[in-house]
Structures are given as structure tokens and as C-alpha cells.
């Protein structure tokens, strides 16, 4: 992803995550101005985006806010299947960020006892 795109994401109060599937064979044959569709909006986790990299770059850039999952444009997971796609995207993105949050252990100071 371009630096400009990430600057825009970081300035946003709540980035909206979409994915896409790209038909590279169509682009190679006809280009992006050809007669055939070559890209489809997808719910995160069903497209070609490497979300582990995206989340890592956001974190490395200091972003700690919320993100929104947008999936109603997905040609498969829309209508009656939209919530199925949304739940899959949520679980998929949790894994991309490293799984469920696990707090660091709290190490207390050793207690000193007097031997008498």
C-alpha cells in the first residue's frame, strides 16, 4: 500500500476496511480499461489484501483507534449472508492482529521474610 493511503488512514477517525479480489488474468489480457470487470469489492478476509501487513503497518505508525468493517459491497456475502461475512471478517481480522488479547503477566516483587 502507498504511503499516501496510510497517511489518509491514520488521519481518519475510524478507517473503514474493505477488501478486493483482482482478476490479474483479465488485467494481463485486456488491461484496466478493457471490456471485462477485473476487480470486485470483498469483505475483509475474502479478497487479496494481506491484512496482517496492514494491521502491522497501522500499529507501527502509532494508530490505536477503531476500525470499521464494510462488507455490503461484497458480491457473495450481502443480503441474507452479510452478517455471516461480517462475523467471518471480524474473526479473521482478530487473527491477523495476533489473536485474542492476552495481557502481559504482572510480576510482583518477591516478598522478603525474616528468618528468626
Amino acid at each position: 500500500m502507498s504511503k499516501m493511503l496510510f497517511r489518509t488512514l491514520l488521519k481518519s477517525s475510524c478507517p473503514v476496511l474493505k477488501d478486493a479480489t483482482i482478476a490479474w488474468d483479465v488485467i494481463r489480457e485486456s488491461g484496466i480499461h478493457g471490456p471485462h470487470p477485473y476487480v470486485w469489492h470483498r469483505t475483509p478476509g475474502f479478497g487479496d489484501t494481506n491484512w496482517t501487513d496492514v494491521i502491522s503497518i497501522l500499529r507501527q505508525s502509532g494508530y490505536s483507534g477503531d476500525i470499521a468493517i464494510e462488507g455490503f459491497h461484497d458480491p457473495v456475502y450481502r443480503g441474507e449472508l452479510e452478517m455471516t461475512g461480517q462475523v467471518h471478517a471480524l474473526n479473521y481480522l482478530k487473527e491477523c492482529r495476533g489473536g485474542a488479547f492476552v495481557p502481559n503477566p504482572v510480576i510482583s516483587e518477591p516478598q522478603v521474610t525474616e528468618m528468626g
Side-chain angles (χ1 to χ4, degrees), residues 47 64 70 81 101 106 114:
S64 62
E70 185 173 294
L81 292 175
F101 175 74
V106 177
E114 289 188 34

Side-chain angles (χ1 to χ4, degrees), residues 41-92:
H41 291 287
R42 300 302 310 267
T43 302
F46 293 105
D48 297 336
T49 303
N50 183 332
W51 290 104
T52 301
D53 284 353
V54 171
I55 291 170
S56 294
I57 292 168
L58 285 169
R59 284 183 165 169
Q60 289 172 343
S61 299
Y63 185 79
S64 62
D66 295 331
I67 56 175
I69 300 168
E70 185 173 294
F72 64 90
H73 292 104
D74 191 297
V76 177
Y77 291 94
R78 63 178 174 187
E80 290 294 317
L81 292 175
E82 184 177 355
M83 189 54 62
T84 300
Q86 293 283 325
V87 170
H88 171 80
L90 175 63
N91 292 328
Y92 173 78

Side-chain angles (χ1 to χ4, degrees), residues 23-36:
W24 291 107
D25 56 330
V26 173
I27 292 173
R28 279 190 291 276
E29 185 178 312
S30 306
I32 61 171
H33 298 294
H36 306 291

